[in-house]
Amino acid sequence: MIIKNGLVMNEEFQLVKCDLRIENGVIAEIGHNLSGEGVDAEGLYVLPGFIDTHIHGANGVRISDKNGDLSKITTFEATQGVTGLAITSGSSQYDSLLKQFQMAAEAAKTAPGAKCLGIHAEGPFLSKERKGAMNVDNLIEPSREKLDCMIEAAGGLLKLITIAPDTEEGRALISYAVSRGLTVSMGHTVSDYDTAMKGIEAGATRATHTFNAMKGLHHREPNLLGAALTEDAITCEMICDFVHLHPAIVKLIYRAKGADKICIISDSGHAAGMEIDCFEVDGIMRYVKDKVIRLADGTIAGSAMTMLDGVRHLVQTLEIPLEDVSKMVSLNPAKGLKMEDKTGSIGLGKCADLVLMDQQLNVVATYVDGICVFQNKER
């Protein structure tokens, strides 16, 4: 198949008008006037598909739901330009968490739409003081044995884990997780600056939903935020719903870190893509109003928006170049999953995971391994 005449985001993240030949699910040729049957993408952006590495659910389903249908998430996400995701657990009761991993690993083999590229365990080794919307009863002390069980239950799919670096035991677990091949993010933490730096020394390379569930930035007490914003080793997760972060703070993170060290996430749950007023997670009710999800006490509890909403906010409202946003929404997430050699950019031999968008950033079509998994029928 040929995708012709599109404005293609090339491997250097520059927009170039050219054609793509797709064979056996990968990009086989990039050039001009390529011959063969295909799709005319005249006037459209051809971008690497979005990869969401922090997504609890969408379309009325969450990974922690009993008998949750992962395909409802992956098919919906394809309509949003997402070609890959790391389904994200919260801090459910530990035995339930293991069952979720087993379910996700099995469902990932056949789920249509966006590929399930991995699992992101947001906990359960987190600070009870910065639990956010987590059920505090399910947070546990750092344990190699429990992490080993999580890795085994996930069947090789566990790629990312959020750990609070607050204690020596937590930092030791960071080092151990890295030795097991996981990417470690620091979050849900009371860490000050020095403690965060020790977490980085232990091997942490990300900050979970930056600014949220961590101590604030103070000019004499920079805390984990000061380390995350100034240390090149750290990639900052950024929720771009303009609820979790004020637009000015989004600008601040972008100016401090640059496009190479930001990973756009949705942090979405049941409400993304749905019109619902409330739902329950791990025994705690969450309420939705004006696309904002909160607990009864007002605590923000995840996003009702998607990666596509975030992309539009950055490009159309903050006027951040699409080239930079494409890195933050595709390549950098792929790096977090250690899969940048396979996906996250458009290059020869890489998976044909693509999203075609019009100039208003509406999704026209989404391709996963060269197969069209969503076609906008209004186009």
Side-chain angles (χ1 to χ4, degrees):
M1 181 185 74
I2 311 294
I3 296 179
K4 304 178 180 180
N5 305 317
L7 280 171
V8 176
M9 191 71 72
N10 66 17
E11 235 175 346
E12 288 72 43
F13 284 83
Q14 300 169 337
L15 285 167
V16 178
K17 189 167 185 177
C18 61
D19 302 342
L20 302 177
R21 184 188 303 280
I22 299 170
E23 295 179 358
N24 300 317
V26 301
I27 307 296
E29 187 178 3
I30 302 173
H32 297 88
N33 301 315
L34 300 183
S35 60
E37 295 184 1
V39 175
D40 187 359
E42 181 72 41
L44 301 178
Y45 296 121
V46 182
L47 308 178
F50 307 156
I51 300 174
D52 195 346
T53 54
H54 192 145
I55 171 173
H56 298 280
N59 199 25
V61 177
R62 186 183 176 95
I63 184 177
S64 59
D65 292 346
K66 289 183 179 180
N67 303 315
D69 186 353
L70 191 65
S71 68
K72 290 184 178 180
I73 300 173
T74 55
T75 52
F76 169 74
E77 288 299 311
T79 72
Q80 304 298 293
V82 175
T83 57
L85 53 86
I87 193 69
T88 306
S89 61
S91 290
S92 300
Q93 194 274 335
Y94 183 72
D95 289 342
S96 173
L97 198 62
L98 298 182
K99 291 177 183 178
Q100 290 172 35
F101 288 0
Q102 292 167 348
M103 178 275 293
E106 188 61 31
K109 299 174 184 177
T110 58
K115 292 182 283 190
C116 187
L117 300 173
I119 293 172
H120 175 178
E122 190 180 2
F125 313 112
L126 307 175
S127 164
K128 293 184 178 182
E129 294 177 61
R130 293 285 173 170
K131 65 180 180 61
M134 303 281 188
N135 187 331
V136 68
D137 294 334
N138 295 334
L139 302 182
I140 61 178
E141 295 299 315
S143 165
R144 287 190 179 193
E145 292 76 17
K146 284 186 167 56
L147 178 56
D148 284 340
C149 291
M150 291 164 64
I151 293 171
E152 182 179 358
L157 207 61
L158 184 59
K159 305 290 186 181
L160 290 158
I161 185 168
T162 296
I163 298 175
D166 305 356
T167 63
E168 289 186 12
E169 293 79 9
R171 296 189 293 275
L173 190 63
I174 289 173
S175 294
Y176 181 67
V178 171
S179 77
R180 293 296 310 269
L182 305 185
T183 297
V184 178
S185 189
M186 298 185 291
H188 290 275
T189 171
V190 295
S191 289
D192 60 18
Y193 178 83
D194 291 338
T195 302
M197 291 301 294
K198 291 178 182 177
I200 294 171
E201 291 169 9
T205 54
R206 285 166 62 113
T208 297
H209 42 50
T210 308
F211 276 90
N212 289 275
M214 58 185 66
K215 288 183 176 180
L217 185 67
H218 187 277
H219 57 288
R220 286 190 293 274
E221 296 179 4
N223 299 314
L224 185 146
L225 272 170
L229 293 173
T230 58
E231 291 298 314
D232 290 342
I234 296 296
T235 294
C236 288
E237 285 189 352
M238 191 164 71
I239 307 172
C240 299
D241 58 4
F242 288 175
V243 175
H244 284 78
L245 299 171
H246 188 281
I249 297 299
V250 173
K251 283 185 182 179
L252 172 65
I253 298 172
Y254 174 62
R255 292 181 181 179
K257 300 300 295 185
D260 293 327
K261 289 294 180 177
I262 293 172
C263 181
I264 297 172
I265 62 169
S266 71
D267 197 15
S268 71
H270 290 87
M274 296 287 289
E275 293 295 332
I276 56 177
D277 298 323
C278 61
F279 56 93
E280 183 179 316
V281 176
D282 294 325
I284 299 174
M285 291 302 300
R286 303 185 179 198
Y287 302 90
V288 187
K289 185 177 180 180
D290 299 328
K291 289 198 171 184
V292 181
I293 305 172
R294 298 184 186 275
L295 303 184
D297 65 3
T299 301
I300 294 177
S303 179
M305 299 189 196
T306 68
M307 295 278 273
L308 179 58
D309 294 313
V311 167
R312 288 171 175 161
H313 284 164
L314 295 181
V315 176
Q316 296 174 341
T317 303
L318 297 186
E319 298 182 344
I320 295 176
L322 181 60
E323 293 86 345
D324 281 359
V325 174
S326 186
K327 274 188 183 180
M328 296 188 284
V329 81
S330 299
L331 179 62
N332 299 345
K335 288 180 177 178
L337 296 171
K338 301 180 182 178
M339 300 184 72
E340 68 271 24
D341 60 329
K342 298 180 178 69
T343 189
S345 60
I346 298 174
L348 292 176
K350 291 194 172 182
C351 296
D353 298 336
L354 308 167
V355 56
L356 275 58
M357 307 183 79
D358 64 21
Q359 300 296 310
Q360 290 73 46
L361 301 182
N362 298 305
V363 175
V364 175
T366 305
Y367 292 83
V368 171
D369 293 330
I371 298 172
C372 184
V373 295
F374 171 70
Q375 180 75 48
N376 189 337
K377 296 181 180 179
E378 296 180 1
R379 293 283 306 181

